[in-house]
Amino acid sequence: MSDLLAGPVEAAAGLAVYGADAVDKAAPASTRDALVKAGVPGKLAGKDASLWGPDAEAEAKIRLGWVDTHRRSRELLVQLAELTAELADLDHVVLAGMGGSSLAPEVITQTLGRPLTVLDTTDPGQVRAALGDRLERTVVVVASKSGSTVETDSHRRAYWQAFLDAGMTEAEAGRHFVIVTDPGSPLEATAAEMGAFTVLADPNVGGRYSALTAFGLVPSALAGVEVAELLDQADALATSLGADQNNPALALGAALGAAATLARDKVALVSDGTGIDGLGDWAEQLIAESTGKAGVGILPVVVESPQSPGATGADVLTVSYGGALAPGDMPGGGAKPDVAVNGPLGAQFLAWEYATAVAGVVLGIDPFNQPNVTESKENTNKILASGLPAETPSFTEGAIEVYAPQGAPGDLAGVLRWLLDGLGDDGYLAVMAYLDRFADADAARLRPLLAQAGGRPVTFGWGPRFLHSTGQYHKGGPQVGSYLQVTGAVAEDLAVPGKPYTFGELQAAQAAGDRQALAGRERPVLRLHLTDRAAGVAQLLDAAGDLRA
C-alpha cells in the first residue's frame, strides 16, 4: 500500500490531500494544531483581515474577496453567454495578459481541451506570429487588473493597428476586443474609446488569486469552456474552509508552512498525469509572489514529470497534483511525493489559494502584496528612456556571447559549472529565458539538464512572464539564488504603435532591468546572448548535457 494511502486523508467535495499529516508531524509541534487553536480556519473563511498582522491588515481588507468570489462570479454567467453568442464568428481567442491575468485561463483551457492563444511576452517573433494567425477571425481578450501593464498595453496597440491595416474601420476593430479590468482602471476608459466589449472584474481580489473571477472565466468561456462547472466545484469545497477537520485546504496549507519552517522551503510541483495540465505554472506564481518577501518564502519548482531531476531533495517538499483518483489508484502518478492533491480543477484553485494564505500565517508574511515586483519595472522604464547600457561580452563561443561576473571561467562549460558549484547546500538556480516560448521551446530542456548536473533545485521561467511570478521571490525571498539569463538576437523587430520603442527594445530593456535588480543584491548573474537562436539553444543544451554532477 502507498505510504500516502496508509496515512490520514483529508477530503471534501471531491478534493483529497494525501500525506499532509506526516509532513505536519515532522515538526516539533503540530503546525495544524496551532492554526486550529488560533481559530485560523474560521477566521480565514470569514475574511478576517487581521490574520497576517497589523502591517498587512489594510492590504488584506481589500484582497480577501477570493474566498467567495466564485459565488459572485455567477453574476457573470448571463453576460458571458451573451458575449459568446455575439462573438460566435470569432473563433480564434487570443488572451493578452500577464501573470495572474493569463495563467489560470491557460490551465483551464489546456485541462479541458479548448484552444486558446496566450500572449504573455514581448518577444517580437512570438507577437508577430500571433498577429499573423487568423486575424479576421480573432477576438483579443485584453486582461489587466491595473489597466497599465506595459506588455498588455503593447499587445492591445499592436492588434488595434493590425486590424486597421487589414482594412477594418475603428468600429469594426473595436468589436474584436474584450477588455477585462478592474472598475475605474485606465483600461476601462480606453475600452470605451475603442468601442470594445468590457467585463469588470472583482476589485477585491488580487491578480494571482483571480482564477475564478472574470480574469479566469472570460477567456475560458469564449474558448468554449463551461465555466459554471468550475464555480460549482469551488462552491462545493467552500463549505469546508471554516472547519477544523475534513478541511483539505487547511491540511495543504499547514503542510506547506510546516515544511518551510523545517528548512524544506522549496516545493517541487509535479503533475501526476491524471488530467490537470499546467496547474504547476499557475501555482508557481501564487506561491512565489505570495510568500517570497522580507527574506523568507517558499520557492515553487515546476518539474516536468515525477521522474525529472529536481523533484526531490533534502530541502524540497514534493507535491503532486491531478484530477480525482479512481478507486485503487495510487497518488503521485507512480512517484512517491510527500503530499498529493487530487480533485476537480475549480476546487484545486480555491484550495491552493486558501493554502497559500494559510502558509502566509505560518511564515508571518503578507500573502497579498508584492513589494519587489515594481523594481524591475522601474529599471525598465529608465532604460527605455535613456537607452540600453553598453556591454562587452566576456567571451564568445560559437553562437553564444557570454557576459559573466569577474573571475568566472572563460569557456561555456566552465562558466556553467562555476554557476552550479556556487549554489551551496541551500541555493537554487533560476533560468530566465527572454525568448519565444514556442519557436525557442527547446530552451526549457535546460532546466532538467542543469538540475541533474548541479544536484540542486532549478527553476525555469520565460521572460518577461516570470517577472509577474517568481520575479518577486528572486528579489524579496531568501537571497540564496543564482541566475542564468538567456537572451536572443532579434531577426525582425516589431514596432509598438504609438510608442517610441519596439517590442525588441522593450524585451531587451526588461532583461537589462531585471539584471540590474538582481546584481544590486550581489547575487551571481550570468547572461548568455544567442546571436543565432536555434544554433545557440542547441549549443547550450549540448554544453549543459555534458556537465557532470
Side-chain angles (χ1 to χ4, degrees):
M1 177 180 287
S2 164
D3 292 340
L4 293 180
L5 285 178
V9 178
E10 290 278 341
L15 185 86
V17 173
Y18 307 84
D21 184 67
V23 175
D24 184 44
K25 285 184 176 178
S30 168
T31 298
R32 178 171 178 156
D33 287 350
L35 291 166
V36 169
K37 184 176 181 180
V40 170
K43 290 179 180 178
L44 184 48
K47 296 193 264 189
D48 186 335
S50 69
L51 281 170
W52 301 274
D55 291 342
E57 190 164 354
E59 182 81 21
K61 280 182 179 178
I62 59 172
R63 290 290 177 261
L64 281 166
W66 56 268
V67 173
D68 57 2
T69 195
H70 55 276
R71 292 173 184 155
R72 291 187 299 282
S73 288
R74 292 190 184 280
E75 299 170 8
L76 295 173
L77 295 179
V78 172
Q79 185 181 5
L80 291 178
E82 293 173 348
L83 190 59
T84 301
E86 172 67 25
L87 301 176
D89 58 316
L90 303 180
D91 58 358
H92 178 218
V93 183
V94 174
L95 171 58
M98 300 299 296
S101 299
S102 65
L103 290 166
E106 190 166 50
V107 176
I108 293 167
T109 53
Q110 284 181 358
T111 295
L112 299 176
R114 303 304 304 171
L116 177 69
T117 296
V118 176
L119 197 56
D120 57 357
T121 183
T122 49
D123 185 84
Q126 191 174 333
V127 176
R128 187 184 300 278
L131 291 169
D133 184 12
R134 295 166 286 172
L135 186 66
E136 298 285 343
R137 293 159 45 198
T138 293
V139 56
V140 185
V141 180
V142 180
S144 171
K145 182 175 176 65
S146 69
S148 60
T149 307
V150 64
E151 299 95 337
T152 305
D153 179 65
S154 300
H155 301 149
R156 179 190 64 80
R157 290 170 178 272
Y159 264 102
W160 180 259
Q161 190 62 52
F163 289 134
L164 297 183
D165 290 347
M168 296 185 194
T169 65
E170 290 192 352
E172 289 169 337
R175 181 179 178 270
H176 286 253
F177 287 91
V178 176
I179 307 298
V180 182
T181 190
D182 274 7
S185 82
L187 190 54
E188 183 183 9
T190 300
E193 294 171 5
M194 295 169 59
F197 298 98
T198 303
V199 182
L200 296 178
D202 190 333
N204 293 318
V205 179
R208 56 189 177 273
Y209 291 81
S210 66
L212 298 173
T213 72
F215 288 107
L217 302 182
V218 171
S220 301
L222 288 172
V225 173
E226 295 293 337
V227 295
E229 294 182 12
L230 297 170
L231 302 179
D232 291 342
Q233 293 161 359
D235 200 31
L237 179 71
T239 58
S240 70
L241 297 185
D244 294 343
Q245 301 295 326
N246 296 318
N247 184 342
L250 174 64
L252 176 60
L256 293 174
T261 61
L262 294 173
R264 297 178 75 185
D265 57 353
K266 286 87 175 173
V267 175
L269 299 169
V270 191
S271 170
D272 66 7
T274 55
I276 292 183
D277 295 330
L279 186 71
D281 291 326
W282 171 82
E284 177 185 51
Q285 188 210 9
L286 176 69
I287 296 169
E289 201 171 45
S290 296
T291 70
K293 56 201 70 170
V296 300
I298 299 170
L299 176 69
V301 182
V302 180
V303 299
E304 299 76 15
S305 74
Q307 293 74 38
S308 294
T312 59
D315 56 348
V316 176
L317 182 75
T318 306
V319 181
S320 67
Y321 62 85
L325 297 177
D329 283 354
M330 296 292 109
K336 293 185 177 180
D338 300 299
V339 177
V341 186
N342 289 89
L345 183 56
Q348 289 267 9
F349 283 139
L350 183 55
W352 283 94
E353 289 166 354
Y354 181 102
T356 301
V358 167
V361 174
V362 177
L363 295 175
I365 52 91
D366 177 356
F368 307 115
N369 69 352
Q370 48 283 333
N372 304 105
V373 165
T374 59
E375 189 173 343
S376 291
K377 293 181 183 179
E378 292 169 354
N379 289 347
T380 296
N381 290 335
K382 292 176 183 176
I383 292 169
L384 286 173
S386 62
L388 286 168
E391 295 178 275
T392 302
S394 306
F395 62 90
T396 299
E397 188 172 315
I400 302 178
E401 294 177 348
V402 178
Y403 298 80
Q406 189 172 6
D411 64 288
L412 181 60
V415 78
L416 289 174
R417 182 76 266 168
W418 168 84
L419 192 64
L420 292 171
D421 288 347
L423 294 178
D425 294 333
D426 61 349
Y428 68 92
L429 175 63
V431 182
M432 309 170 295
Y434 284 82
L435 300 169
D436 181 330
R437 73 178 174 113
F438 299 113
D440 304 319
D442 279 353
R445 292 167 50 200
L446 272 175
R447 196 216 68 79
L449 291 174
L450 293 173
Q452 179 70 45
R456 294 296 305 149
V458 177
T459 67
F460 183 92
W462 295 104
R465 161 178 164 147
F466 78 86
L467 293 176
H468 300 259
S469 177
T470 50
Q472 166 62 42
Y473 183 97
H474 293 166
K475 302 169 192 70
Q479 293 303 294
V480 296
S482 295
Y483 304 94
L484 173 59
Q485 186 185 87
V486 185
T487 57
V490 172
E492 186 179 4
D493 211 341
L494 182 66
V496 178
K499 292 293 184 179
Y501 50 79
T502 65
F503 276 98
E505 289 166 345
L506 175 57
Q507 182 185 42
Q510 290 176 311
D514 198 41
R515 287 198 303 275
Q516 289 179 358
L518 295 171
R521 287 167 169 76
E522 300 183 350
R523 299 304 307 162
V525 182
L526 171 65
R527 178 193 174 201
L528 304 179
H529 182 70
L530 313 182
T531 55
D532 178 297
R533 291 195 183 194
V537 168
Q539 181 185 342
L540 184 52
L541 290 173
D542 284 344
D546 288 341
L547 296 175
R548 294 291 180 265

